[in-house]
Amino acid sequence: MASAAAQIILHPTVSQGLKFGGTTLGRDKTYRAIQYFARFYAWYFTAKGEKLDAARWTALKGHLGTARKLLRLGKPLEHLQAALRATFSAGPVEETITTIARQIGYFGYLSYDAIVWANSIKFITLDPATAKKVTKRAFQFWLAGIAFSLVHGVLKAARLAKEAKSLRESEVYGEKDLAVEAARETRQSAIDAARRSNRQQMLIDLLDISIPATGAELLNVNEGTLGILGLISSILGAKAQWQAVNGKK
């Protein structure tokens, strides 16, 4: 019995899970997935008229949302630093501009979101009209950040596709210089990895964009749909973080 328990507790997957959960981003992605599942389930029970179950899942959604806001209190400065670093990058001008705009959008979103959190725990007191305006402004900045992220993704995808095509056309047939061929294969692998990462981020952005668009009152997507979209994007984000933490491609 002790041996079986040890095999379970010390299993590599358990160790990887603990490593994943030991990161702030890993915990946030886990909380986010549960939060959006709770959002869907609350909508489902509300539609069925089961108010008690709906209230239970709505409470879980609310508490997880508050916890995630607390975890993100320092992130506005991270995005501001990322925007500043981007101004010194040597990349394409269009990608640099969209990167800066994206980071500023997320900075604005998380800054206003911190005010929403402070009001929700009664650390500050906003009248209902002001609280609604602050929440709406947070969603507007979030929407802007995702929009610029998508534009950045499209620009980057086009550049990487062009680089991949150029690399294929430069392939030498017949007798090859091994050093040149090794460098070409290394570059090709790097481009392929960058394209996969970029496609995944664009998919996450496409799944998420309706959430702030609805919060900013530009769309009217129901809670169930938003819950499912948020759950899928959370799982994709968690998968990427799991691979990053555990050194997998």
Side-chain angles (χ1 to χ4, degrees):
M1 180 66 73
S3 177
Q7 288 181 0
I8 294 173
I9 295 171
L10 299 176
H11 193 277
T13 302
V14 175
S15 298
Q16 291 170 357
L18 291 172
K19 191 175 181 181
F20 169 80
T23 65
T24 300
L25 188 56
R27 289 193 298 274
D28 181 65
K29 295 301 180 185
T30 302
Y31 295 163
R32 189 179 195 269
I34 299 170
Q35 177 190 356
Y36 278 96
F37 177 76
R39 187 171 189 171
F40 162 75
Y41 224 32
W43 169 84
Y44 170 76
F45 281 122
T46 300
K48 289 181 65 179
E50 298 180 14
K51 295 182 179 180
L52 185 61
D53 287 325
R56 182 181 297 116
W57 288 93
T58 298
L60 177 60
K61 177 193 73 174
H63 284 298
L64 285 172
T66 301
R68 291 184 61 236
K69 284 178 172 59
L70 177 60
L71 288 174
R72 297 195 299 255
L73 285 181
K75 287 192 70 65
L77 187 57
E78 290 181 22
H79 288 288
L80 201 58
Q81 286 185 340
L84 184 60
R85 291 192 189 99
T87 62
F88 302 117
S89 69
V93 175
E94 298 85 353
E95 291 182 39
T96 299
I97 291 173
T98 51
T99 295
I100 293 170
R102 175 183 62 186
Q103 298 296 345
I104 290 175
Y106 289 141
F107 165 76
Y109 158 53
L110 293 170
S111 296
Y112 274 96
D113 199 49
I115 299 174
V116 173
W117 169 80
N119 183 60
S120 70
I121 65 167
K122 310 301 181 184
F123 186 74
I124 62 172
T125 302
L126 302 176
D127 62 79
T130 302
K132 184 177 180 181
K133 288 179 182 179
V134 170
T135 300
K136 185 176 180 179
R137 188 56 55 84
F139 280 123
Q140 289 171 338
F141 271 112
W142 185 8
L143 178 60
I146 293 180
F148 281 114
S149 183
L150 283 168
V151 173
H152 175 84
V154 171
L155 293 171
K156 187 173 182 179
R159 174 177 60 81
L160 291 172
K162 185 177 180 180
E163 288 184 16
K165 181 180 178 181
S166 177
L167 204 58
R168 287 195 300 271
E169 291 175 348
S170 68
E171 185 175 1
V172 178
Y173 296 95
E175 188 175 345
K176 301 178 181 180
D177 184 305
L178 294 180
V180 172
E181 182 63 15
R184 194 192 71 80
E185 290 181 357
T186 299
R187 180 56 185 158
Q188 183 66 60
S189 296
I191 291 174
D192 290 343
R195 294 180 77 180
R196 286 194 299 271
S197 177
N198 189 56
R199 283 195 296 267
Q200 176 158 301
Q201 184 57 54
M202 289 182 68
L203 176 57
I204 290 173
D205 289 337
L206 286 170
L207 289 167
D208 278 346
I209 195 167
S210 60
I211 300 171
T214 298
E217 299 178 357
L218 298 175
L219 293 178
N220 186 24
V221 181
N222 68 57
E223 287 288 292
T225 301
L226 294 178
I228 291 296
L229 293 174
L231 173 62
I232 296 171
S233 69
S234 299
I235 291 171
L236 290 174
K239 179 184 176 184
Q241 176 65 5
W242 180 283
Q243 292 172 337
V245 168
N246 292 292
K248 296 179 180 180
K249 294 183 179 180

